[in-house]
Amino acid sequence: LVAGGDTGPAAVAFFFVYMNDFADHGKVLLALMSRVYYNQAKASVVITTERGFFMEKTASPLFEGISEAELDALAGAGHLRTRQFAKHEVIFRAGSRVREIGIVLRGAVHIENLDLWGTKSILSSVGPGQAFAETYAFCGDALMVDAVAAESCEVLFLHTAALTDARVAPELRDKLLRRLLAVSMRKNLSLSQRIFCTAPKTVRGRLLTYFSA
């Protein structure tokens, strides 16, 4: 039985080991058990890499088309790291400057704004597989918002230096750049839809725009 993360009672895997040669087969079994588990909520198998990062390709558009070996290469060059955060812990604070892009592995992250009167507004919620802070990481501007753990979560950080590091294969740098551009464009489209919904001056107009989208 292998379980972990968002697993439940249905997360069961059976392994058959030839006991006459357990020395070798047992090692394979233990290695596999440490690298695979079943996510019942998403009905998908999650595979961890040699360095402990996991990639759920169906839920991570940023890593679409990027292999486990390529992820290990990024980690080996020091461009990937993971960290766990407790609920309400600040991941990125407004006013700071970052060079890393955050990708939620487990849990959720809220992008929050705190005004001068202490009123907090949640601008967006970032779920598993989604990225945040990529604009600030590339532009180098100070953050205007806080990135806060909405619940206990784990975040994978990708350093933007990976796009210019000669140790990273040109093909991999090209893949990363294309995927980052695609993610950024999707966010621009989402922002445009929000603008369309809030542009009308009346509530009626905003509702009509929202329901006709």
Side-chain angles (χ1 to χ4, degrees), residues 5-210:
D6 296 322
T7 57
V12 179
F14 293 97
F15 297 90
F16 296 92
V17 181
Y18 183 53
M19 297 306 293
N20 289 341
D21 191 15
F22 185 79
D24 291 332
H25 290 80
K27 292 178 182 178
V28 174
L29 171 62
L30 293 176
L32 186 59
M33 288 177 66
S34 66
R35 298 178 60 190
V36 179
Y37 71 84
Y38 181 78
N39 186 325
Q40 184 183 6
K42 295 184 179 180
S44 58
V45 174
V46 178
I47 303 176
T48 64
T49 69
E50 294 291 346
R51 295 180 182 272
F53 305 120
F54 84 88
M55 177 175 60
E56 204 165 344
K57 292 186 179 181
T58 56
S60 302
L62 184 59
F63 293 128
E64 184 179 336
I66 297 178
S67 68
E68 176 186 328
E70 289 173 323
L71 277 180
D72 283 331
L74 287 173
H79 299 310
L80 284 180
R81 67 182 179 93
T82 58
R83 181 179 167 186
Q84 296 183 354
F85 295 89
K87 185 177 182 179
H88 300 315
E89 187 174 355
V90 176
I91 301 171
F92 291 146
R93 192 175 299 277
S96 63
R97 299 178 188 273
V98 298
R99 292 294 309 280
E100 292 179 309
I101 301 165
I103 302 100
V104 179
L105 297 182
R106 298 185 183 91
V109 172
H110 282 168
I111 306 303
E112 302 177 352
N113 175 59
L114 192 66
D115 63 23
L116 295 175
W117 294 270
T119 303
K120 180 176 70 175
S121 302
I122 298 176
L123 304 180
S124 64
S125 181
V126 185
Q130 296 180 318
F132 61 94
E134 67 276 10
T135 300
Y136 295 103
F138 278 110
C139 295
D141 293 345
L143 273 74
M144 295 185 290
V145 293
D146 294 321
V148 182
E151 57 187 86
S152 179
C153 65
E154 184 176 6
V155 178
L156 172 65
F157 294 98
L158 169 65
H159 203 289
T160 54
L163 299 174
T164 56
D165 191 344
R167 294 174 298 172
V168 179
E171 296 81 5
L172 178 53
R173 297 202 302 265
D174 182 65
K175 285 182 184 179
L176 279 174
L177 191 58
R178 289 175 181 273
R179 297 313 308 158
L180 285 167
L181 183 61
V183 169
S184 179
M185 293 303 99
R186 288 195 187 99
K187 286 194 173 183
N188 281 342
L189 288 175
S190 178
L191 179 59
S192 296
Q193 291 173 346
R194 289 190 183 186
I195 293 174
F196 289 147
C197 290
T198 57
K201 296 182 179 180
T202 64
V203 174
R204 181 176 183 274
R206 293 178 181 180
L207 288 174
L208 287 175
T209 302
Y210 175 80

